[in-house]
Amino acid sequence: TPAKTRFLFNHKRWNRVVGFHTRNPAHRVHEYIQLSALENVYADGIFINPVIGTKKAGDFQDDLILRSYEILIDKGVYPEGKVVLGSFSTYSRYCGPRETVFTMLCRKNMGCSHFIIGRDHAGVGSFYDPESNYRFLENLGDLGIKPIFFKEIGYSPIKDEFVEANNSKEITKISGTEIRDALRNNQKLPDCFMRTEVKGMLSDSIEQGYEVFHK
């Protein structure tokens, strides 16, 4: 709840807090934008706040999403003492810019000063223009929480790093649909998609008969 998160941030003496909203397990692009935002705004910490609640068919189960981030924290992916993981009990409305504002204001209430907005935050498929969130928020003005915009990020095998995709054929795009399909069909995922430990946790859950995806 906002009372708990604000108490925690105050206890940790965090003033600049980056909020991150997600409905998927951690993948490498998530890591890249989280760590980039943390560094670029000189934040005291990042609040990773996955959505738990009603999901559409095919979405990952809540406990696996949270577990994926626990794995990254245990692995030391984030700077020590600069990450808090907590769930957000709501449901996805898939209504683009309007939902983006809603998710921002909820994190403002929780004590975040900044909020990450990816290429298609709160969208569905290709229904919304990738620039629609930026234009909508520009027109609204100051909401008391600052957006951190990221364009589509992909992996460059040549540079061996994550970069803006820019429709380049040399860039490997990280697709959530491709991740789901590979896991369902027991296919190998490139390391640039997900860390081995996260892939292993999800694959093991499937092999053990756990219902990984919502029906």
Side-chain angles (χ1 to χ4, degrees):
T1 64
K4 291 177 181 177
T5 53
R6 284 178 176 272
F7 175 85
L8 181 58
F9 298 155
N10 286 334
H11 177 74
K12 293 172 74 67
R13 298 184 179 178
W14 285 5
N15 293 310
R16 298 172 72 84
V17 184
V18 175
F20 182 75
H21 171 105
T22 184
R23 58 178 187 261
N24 289 305
H27 57 64
R28 298 302 299 273
V29 169
H30 283 172
E31 293 179 37
Y32 172 81
I33 63 177
Q34 290 161 3
L35 293 171
S36 296
L38 192 60
E39 180 179 355
N40 292 344
V41 303
Y42 304 100
D44 298 309
I46 184 164
F47 179 40
I48 299 173
N49 197 206
V51 173
I52 61 166
T54 304
K55 301 279 178 66
K56 63 181 177 63
D59 281 351
F60 285 92
Q61 297 286 0
D62 300 331
D63 57 334
L64 298 181
I65 298 171
L66 291 165
R67 178 62 189 141
S68 72
Y69 278 102
E70 289 173 346
I71 289 171
L72 296 192
I73 293 169
D74 291 344
K75 186 177 173 62
V77 168
Y78 304 100
E80 187 176 355
K82 284 186 170 288
V83 60
V84 167
L85 173 66
S87 58
F88 178 38
S89 183
T90 186
Y91 61 94
S92 296
R93 295 151 178 86
Y94 308 102
C95 62
R98 290 175 297 162
E99 185 171 0
T100 296
V101 172
F102 168 72
T103 56
M104 281 182 67
L105 292 177
C106 288
R107 280 20 178 262
K108 174 189 173 182
N109 291 343
M110 291 176 177
C112 295
S113 60
H114 294 73
F115 186 68
I116 293 171
I117 299 175
R119 177 187 60 85
D120 189 33
H121 185 90
V124 58
S126 58
F127 185 83
Y128 293 99
D129 181 333
E131 298 294 323
S132 59
N133 279 316
Y134 178 81
R135 291 195 302 268
F136 193 72
L137 286 166
E138 282 288 292
N139 290 332
L140 287 180
D142 185 9
L143 295 176
I145 180 170
K146 296 178 180 178
I148 307 171
F149 293 102
F150 283 91
K151 294 185 177 180
E152 185 174 16
I153 303 296
Y155 175 73
S156 169
I158 297 173
K159 296 182 178 180
D160 189 24
E161 62 184 19
F162 291 90
V163 297
E164 286 189 7
N166 292 329
N167 296 318
S168 171
K169 293 181 180 179
E170 298 175 352
I171 304 300
T172 302
K173 295 185 178 180
I174 311 302
S175 162
T177 300
E178 197 169 337
I179 290 173
R180 288 183 181 87
D181 290 345
L183 289 168
R184 283 194 180 103
N185 299 316
N186 196 28
Q187 296 173 342
K188 182 175 173 59
L189 270 172
D191 289 339
C192 64
F193 275 64
M194 261 182 178
R195 290 192 181 263
T196 302
E197 295 87 348
V198 176
K199 288 186 290 185
M201 180 271 293
L202 295 171
S203 296
D204 289 347
S205 298
I206 291 173
E207 289 180 8
Q208 293 165 12
Y210 184 83
E211 193 172 290
V212 171
F213 303 100
H214 283 272
K215 293 183 178 179

